[in-house]
Amino acid sequence: LDSNNENQIEELGSANLFIVKDGIVKTPKLSGSILDGVTRDSVCKIASELLKLKVFEIGISGLTLT
C-alpha cells in the first residue's frame, strides 16, 4: 500500500504490478515510492509498441482488482 494514505496499491516488495484485462494494461502511476525501473519501463514499451495494448498508469486500489 502507498505510504501517503495506505489505500492505493503500488509495488509488491521487489515486484512490479501490472493488470491486463480486455487489451488494457494498468500499472500504478509513478510516485515518490515507485521507482521508474528498467523492467517496468520495458514492459510498458513492449505492451504498447509491440503488442499494441493500451497502457494506463493509474492509481490502483483494492477495488480495481475486483
Side-chain angles (χ1 to χ4, degrees):
L1 297 174
D2 67 286
S3 60
N4 291 332
N5 53 20
E6 296 186 357
N7 70 352
Q8 299 290 311
I9 298 172
E10 293 185 343
E11 292 182 329
L12 308 171
S14 62
N16 295 295
L17 174 65
F18 297 93
I19 301 169
V20 182
K21 184 177 179 182
D22 299 327
I24 297 172
V25 178
K26 296 177 184 177
T27 189
K29 59 185 172 183
L30 294 175
S31 67
S33 62
I34 294 186
L35 300 175
D36 187 16
V38 173
T39 301
R40 182 182 186 281
D41 184 57
S42 296
V43 170
C44 289
K45 283 184 180 178
I46 289 169
S48 65
E49 295 174 12
L50 295 178
L51 302 176
K52 305 301 183 198
L53 299 173
K54 294 180 182 177
V55 178
F56 293 101
E57 297 181 48
I58 62 169
I60 296 178
S61 69
L63 296 175
T64 307
L65 301 176
T66 60

